Amino acid sequence: MLSSPYTRALQTALEIVRFNDIPLKVELGLHEWLPDNTGSRTDTDEQAATAYKLYRQHAGKRTIASPLPYETAAEMKTRVLATLNKYATSYDCIACVTHGEVMRQFGDEKDVDYCGVRVIAVN
């Protein structure tokens, strides 16, 4: 079981491993979408909300004129795949607890059910 380092994901992962007696590894690359991918903290909640609005408005892309350096969908998917690929040769199947926006990168559905499950193949 792999988990995002964010508290809500870890809480879910811990419940799963506790009842299934499987090991858990926290992977930093499974964190949620970033409203500022420069490594600095967004100044306000309003800026984060604006970044998400722009992200959704531009279908996960960032325009050259974007006033905020949010993480694009392609950057997020690359980050997550790099994390998952570390396990691809050692395991036939892994479980991963992450976030809705991350999961949206691996399917056609726009909405992800709370605590939803999505099966993906990593090549």
Side-chain angles (χ1 to χ4, degrees), residues 54-80:
L54 291 168
Y55 168 85
R56 298 291 286 187
Q57 182 180 2
H58 296 289
K61 296 182 175 120
R62 186 178 54 246
T63 66
I64 294 172
S66 177
L68 298 168
Y70 56 83
E71 183 176 38
T72 67
E75 291 166 339
M76 184 180 353
K77 188 170 186 176
T78 297
R79 165 176 52 84
V80 172

Side-chain angles (χ1 to χ4, degrees), residues 7-19:
T7 303
R8 63 187 186 271
L10 278 171
Q11 289 170 328
T12 300
L14 287 171
E15 289 300 307
I16 294 169
V17 300
R18 181 170 71 130
F19 290 104

Side-chain angles (χ1 to χ4, degrees), residues 28-43:
L28 299 178
L30 298 177
H31 63 76
E32 180 60 289
W33 169 82
L34 296 172
D36 182 342
N37 70 358
T38 65
S40 61
R41 186 169 167 81
T42 305
D43 290 335

Side-chain angles (χ1 to χ4, degrees), residues 18-111:
R18 181 170 71 130
F19 290 104
N20 292 286
D21 194 31
I22 55 177
L24 173 65
K25 180 161 178 143
V26 177
E27 279 290 347
L28 299 178
L30 298 177
H31 63 76
E32 180 60 289
W33 169 82
L34 296 172
D36 182 342
N37 70 358
T38 65
S40 61
R41 186 169 167 81
T42 305
D43 290 335
T44 65
D45 288 342
E46 184 178 309
Q47 283 180 317
T50 299
Y52 190 66
K53 181 179 176 184
L54 291 168
Y55 168 85
R56 298 291 286 187
Q57 182 180 2
H58 296 289
K61 296 182 175 120
R62 186 178 54 246
T63 66
I64 294 172
S66 177
L68 298 168
Y70 56 83
E71 183 176 38
T72 67
E75 291 166 339
M76 184 180 353
K77 188 170 186 176
T78 297
R79 165 176 52 84
V80 172
L81 284 174
T83 300
L84 297 178
N85 279 329
K86 295 190 303 187
Y87 299 91
T89 59
S90 301
Y91 298 93
D92 293 330
C93 179
I94 58 172
C96 168
V97 179
T98 188
H99 308 277
E101 197 58 49
V102 171
M103 291 176 68
R104 282 185 193 91
Q105 307 318 305
F106 298 95
D108 296 333
E109 301 91 14
K110 292 182 182 180
D111 293 321

